[in-house]
Amino acid sequence: MDAKPPRRTRERILELSLKLFNEIGEPNVTTTTIADEMEISPGNLYYHFRNKDDIINSIFTQFEQEIEKRLRFPENHRTTIDEVWAYLQYMTNFLWRYRFLYRDLNDLLARNRTLETHFKQIMEHKVRFARDLCELLVADGEMAATPAEIETMSTNMCVLATYWLSYQFVMNPRKYNDQAAIGAELNQASRHILSVIAPYLRGRSRQLFDDLLSGKIPPKEYVSPAKAASQQNESSILKTVH
């Protein structure tokens, strides 16, 4: 097996910076801290990034690209409540990977114009995503809600999803880097987010929500559109071979 090529210094700086921002908080990390941890000179770091904001913006670009891929429904498929629950669970690992952006969000937005503009667009996308979900449920007769109620629910779901990590930090500041402890609490976000729309659910969707909440049925494992397409292609290849 061929050896993997060594990671470039720029990639290593971004990876280490993300780790430090997550573990000790972005305001507590300087370019000197990063250079020392990397065991490189500050000049070498500045060769790749002009300053700390340049590093943050590069990490945010990665985050933005990834979350845009996640804020979409599978094509030609009507999403059900149990699949939405699974989707929210699936998102917890993603939130964990970029948790500093959520924990330090207000401070970052106050001094970084790029993040201020782009994160607002992400929030708007999240609200649209939630709105589309509600409208699909109404169209399928699984929810009874007016457009005004849907707009309020969509905003509330977005706020919960965005600030849940901040809430967890307030409640468990000394366990913030304990992935097992915080991860378990992150999974509870699915219940709280879907509780926003629960009073409006009808028929099978309401029953599914109640069964998930009570533990009567186990949560599904979410399969992303990309993974589903890959599995479908693999299945097609196997059929061709056989």
Side-chain angles (χ1 to χ4, degrees), residues 26-194:
E26 179 274 331
N28 301 314
V29 178
T30 65
T31 51
T32 301
T33 309
I34 298 168
D36 288 345
E37 288 290 324
M38 282 282 297
E39 297 184 350
I40 61 175
S41 68
N44 193 351
L45 187 146
Y46 290 131
Y47 173 80
H48 297 280
F49 298 97
R50 296 187 303 276
N51 47 43
K52 189 172 79 167
D53 273 354
D54 194 15
I55 295 174
I56 292 170
N57 289 342
S58 296
I59 292 173
F60 183 78
T61 296
Q62 296 175 352
F63 163 83
E64 190 173 29
Q65 291 170 349
E66 290 184 41
I67 199 169
E68 289 293 332
K69 293 177 183 177
R70 285 166 166 77
L71 292 175
R72 63 182 63 175
F73 292 109
E75 294 181 5
N76 303 318
H77 178 71
R78 310 294 280 196
T79 304
T80 60
I81 285 298
D82 54 337
E83 289 172 334
V84 176
W85 186 297
Y87 166 80
L88 292 171
Q89 301 272 16
Y90 155 79
M91 284 294 287
T92 60
N93 287 335
F94 177 71
L95 296 182
W96 177 263
R97 173 166 169 74
Y98 293 100
R99 61 193 181 277
F100 88 94
L101 285 172
Y102 290 88
R103 181 184 61 186
D104 304 324
L105 181 59
N106 291 347
D107 181 64
L108 286 165
L109 297 185
R111 59 181 176 75
N112 188 309
R113 179 62 178 169
T114 299
L115 265 65
E116 176 191 349
T117 303
H118 286 243
F119 210 94
K120 181 179 179 180
Q121 294 171 352
I122 289 173
M123 293 288 278
E124 291 170 347
H125 193 170
K126 285 183 178 181
V127 172
R128 286 197 306 273
F129 183 75
R131 185 192 304 124
D132 289 345
L133 167 66
C134 292
E135 289 174 349
L136 283 173
L137 290 170
V138 169
D140 289 343
E142 299 292 313
M143 174 187 278
T146 66
E149 288 170 334
I150 288 175
E151 197 63 37
T152 300
M153 281 187 282
S154 302
T155 300
N156 289 344
M157 291 168 74
C158 176
V159 171
L160 265 174
T162 301
Y163 286 96
W164 186 260
L165 267 173
S166 295
Y167 167 72
Q168 286 306 125
F169 180 66
V170 171
M171 300 304 292
N172 299 286
R174 298 187 184 281
K175 292 185 177 180
Y176 193 74
N177 289 312
D178 184 337
Q179 186 170 6
I182 300 301
E185 294 298 327
L186 268 174
N187 288 333
Q188 294 299 314
S190 302
R191 178 178 65 183
H192 290 278
I193 292 169
L194 287 183

